[in-house]
Amino acid sequence: WRQASLRWPSFPSAGSACQTSTSRPPSGPPPHTALQLHMWGRRGVFADSFRCHSVSLLAAEQHRDGNELEYSDKIILPPSSLEKLAHLEVTYPMMFELANPRYVARRLHCGVLEFIAQEGMVYLPYWMMENMHLNEGDIVHLKSASIPKGRFVKLQPQTTDFIKISNPKAVLESSLRKFSALTKGETFRILYNKKKYDIGVVEVKPEGPAFAPNAPQAVCIIEADVEVDFEAPADYVEPPKQPSPVASPLSTSPLTKSPLAGPSMGAPILDGDSSDEEMSDAKPFEGSGFRLDGKPIKAPKSSPPPSTSMLGNGAVKVGVRIGGDGSVLGGGFPASGGQTLGGGQTLGGGQTLGGG
């Protein structure tokens, strides 16, 4: 291709029968008709218009793998474009600029894969058609372009799914081998593990001087050492910051409900000694208690007064004889007040129990 772009075809000599007085010298470029000049543009620049279609249509017609055509930036031109490019001094590698006449603000740069399209048609990856707002059969303007090699690019994944890949940089490096150029503002598409990822181009920097004013900000990445940086995904949302632990104010403390913490009690006096001698003349506590949880204190349950006698209030009979059937046979002297048991003490009518 380099030789074809630099060599002009040979022409008849000055003595030939077909030579006319108006012919150009053999060393000059070949004569071009007005139609050819209109289609080719100025010398060294290829420019033409085509009806665009997605590469998936060509893949379906030729039973090819559509992924190889879709996830790249290579276009497919008709054979006539190859003939025109062969007569022009187009820089290598061949780069082209695509523009939508109805949306001139967006321009993309790409390479060429094959020259097998039907005449008047060009096949584009569908993501390029989306970027330029093109539909099937729309007119697209195409011209050759010379862009510098890239030194730095900043990319932005459109979804957080891309950063969840174990090694996103290695995946991107492998995918970009199918690409020829990157244009600032475009969003290209790659395929990894049967899943599509859209990557936006945020910034590009060329080797050498910066871009000239009004020049397209696009770089060639073929055989270039490009530094790649990533920006946060477009749909990334930072998690809310956790508030730092702060001590609760005193107003929310349950101790504020305690009468001990009130201002009426004053500061505690701790100078005295709590010995038994000093506390002997202290007055008994006459206040009321309270619960820390604020609930009312339940009144203590009343218990019956204790009995003054171990034997109860019933009369005690002493010396009672009981028969075999359990009936009382006789005897028995009721104990009167002041009676005691044991130790030879007398009960009632002079009878003595135990010890004498």
Side-chain angles (χ1 to χ4, degrees):
W1 287 109
R2 183 183 302 274
Q3 294 178 352
S5 62
L6 296 177
R7 181 184 304 164
W8 294 103
S10 59
F11 294 96
S13 61
S16 173
C18 64
Q19 181 71 29
T20 63
S21 60
T22 59
S23 62
R24 300 178 65 89
S27 59
H32 302 303
T33 65
L35 177 62
Q36 289 174 325
L37 290 174
H38 173 73
M39 295 179 60
W40 292 354
R42 66 182 184 273
R43 183 174 179 266
V45 176
F46 170 84
D48 208 342
S49 298
F50 302 92
R51 290 196 177 274
C52 66
H53 295 278
S54 61
V55 291
S56 58
L57 296 180
L58 180 66
E61 292 175 359
Q62 299 184 354
H63 304 285
R64 299 173 60 176
D65 184 8
N67 293 338
E68 295 295 331
L69 304 176
E70 178 64 38
Y71 302 103
S72 70
D73 69 342
K74 304 292 196 307
I75 63 176
I76 298 178
L77 292 169
S80 62
S81 299
L82 176 60
E83 298 176 4
K84 298 170 187 178
L85 289 167
H87 291 80
L88 301 174
E89 295 182 359
V90 178
T91 57
Y92 184 84
M94 293 183 185
M95 293 291 171
F96 299 93
E97 182 184 274
L98 294 171
N100 184 353
R102 298 181 302 174
Y103 192 77
V104 295
R106 179 61 58 86
R107 297 174 182 269
L108 296 185
H109 295 78
C110 61
V112 60
L113 180 63
E114 297 173 352
F115 295 88
I116 59 172
Q118 299 180 17
E119 292 299 329
M121 296 175 56
V122 60
Y123 291 99
L124 309 176
Y126 190 69
W127 67 265
M128 297 178 69
M129 298 178 62
E130 289 180 331
N131 276 252
M132 295 188 296
H133 305 276
L134 290 170
N135 297 319
E136 297 285 347
D138 285 352
I139 297 295
V140 61
H141 292 170
L142 178 74
K143 72 174 183 179
S144 59
S146 178
I147 57 178
K149 286 190 175 182
R151 173 178 59 88
F152 170 84
V153 296
K154 180 180 284 188
L155 306 177
Q156 182 186 36
Q158 300 303 294
T159 60
T160 54
D161 293 340
F162 182 76
I163 62 177
K164 296 178 182 179
I165 301 176
S166 59
N167 194 347
K169 284 195 173 183
V171 172
L172 188 64
E173 179 182 357
S174 176
S175 301
L176 286 180
R177 293 174 183 172
K178 303 177 182 179
F179 288 76
S180 304
L182 294 176
T183 306
K184 180 180 178 180
E186 74 176 16
T187 302
F188 62 90
R189 187 168 296 153
I190 64 175
L191 181 69
Y192 174 71
N193 200 15
K194 299 182 180 180
K195 190 172 183 179
K196 303 174 184 178
Y197 299 94
D198 289 345
I199 311 294
V201 181
V202 179
E203 183 182 0
V204 294
K205 293 182 181 180
E207 289 182 351
F211 294 108
N214 300 325
Q217 296 194 23
V219 293
C220 174
I221 60 174
I222 298 177
E223 299 178 358
D225 187 9
V226 181
E227 179 184 354
V228 179
D229 190 15
F230 285 95
E231 199 168 271
D235 64 344
Y236 177 75
V237 178
E238 291 190 5
K241 294 183 179 180
Q242 297 293 337
S244 58
V246 180
S248 61
L250 184 61
S251 60
T252 60
S253 173
L255 294 178
T256 57
K257 301 178 181 180
S258 171
L260 299 178
S264 60
M265 299 297 293
I269 300 175
L270 304 177
D271 296 336
D273 188 6
S274 59
S275 61
D276 294 338
E277 291 79 3
E278 295 182 1
M279 295 298 294
S280 59
D281 58 347
K283 296 181 179 181
F285 176 72
E286 299 178 354
S288 60
F290 68 94
R291 293 170 58 105
L292 293 179
D293 56 2
K295 296 181 179 180
I297 299 177
K298 297 181 179 179
K301 296 181 179 180
S302 59
S303 57
S307 175
T308 57
S309 174
M310 296 180 58
L311 301 178
N313 296 327
V316 179
K317 293 184 178 182
V318 183
V320 177
R321 292 190 304 164
I322 301 175
D325 56 355
S327 60
V328 178
L329 301 179
F333 302 90
S336 60
Q339 298 173 356
T340 58
L341 299 178
Q345 299 175 357
T346 303
L347 297 177
Q351 298 178 2
T352 303
L353 296 179

